[in-house]
Amino acid sequence: MTDKNGSSYEFGAFILDTKQNLLLHGLEPVKLPAKAYELLHFFVRNPNQVIDKETLMLEVWKDSFVEDANLAVHISNLRKILNGDVNGKSAIETFPKVGYRFNGDVRPHHSAETEPDPGVSRKADDAGEGSAPRVWPRYAA
């Protein structure tokens, strides 16, 4: 799963390089299973939004039938990798019986070789302090 424009994202001490399908912590590559990478990629494209479990399952496991436990395992692994290094709070927050929210302050990352795309912004500045989180609707059946 790559962005159409090959964007990379920066959050906390991490860079998600979508051209190479790679997560970096500082300059060090972090090993991630392919599905955990896809899940993180979806989260960073939709930061600070509550996303229901069905949407995540359909996005990451499009052509497969998997159990909810698969999602829980990958969420747990991502928390272990990211916690403490993403704005000093839980990187992935659980909303019981609703879904999950990625709490990172996500910014486009531009290497020296690429020019910034002025139309790309991944900051979710429309959800203020104390406001109710936005919830993704389920995919239509």
Side-chain angles (χ1 to χ4, degrees), residues 9-46:
Y9 305 94
E10 187 174 341
F11 51 94
F14 294 94
I15 296 172
L16 189 68
D17 182 339
T18 63
K19 290 180 183 175
Q20 298 181 46
N21 292 341
L22 182 66
L23 177 65
L24 298 169
H25 184 255
L27 298 175
E28 296 296 317
V30 177
K31 289 185 180 184
L32 277 181
K35 294 300 181 186
Y37 173 86
E38 290 180 35
L39 183 60
L40 180 59
H41 189 190
F42 187 75
F43 275 134
V44 300
R45 286 183 289 135
N46 302 285

Side-chain angles (χ1 to χ4, degrees), residues 62-94:
K62 293 177 182 92
D63 301 322
S64 307
F65 173 78
V66 294
E67 296 186 17
D68 292 351
N70 289 317
L71 178 61
V73 166
H74 289 298
I75 294 278
S76 176
N77 288 339
L78 286 173
R79 282 182 173 141
K80 288 175 187 171
I81 291 167
L82 301 175
N83 275 348
D85 287 317
V86 179
N87 300 340
K89 58 184 173 181
S90 179
I92 302 171
E93 186 176 358
T94 300

Side-chain angles (χ1 to χ4, degrees), residues 124-135:
D125 53 8
D126 53 355
E129 287 290 322
S131 65
R134 288 190 285 169
V135 179

Side-chain angles (χ1 to χ4, degrees), residues 115-133:
E115 288 294 316
D117 180 354
V120 175
S121 175
R122 293 292 173 201
K123 283 194 151 189
D125 53 8
D126 53 355
E129 287 290 322
S131 65

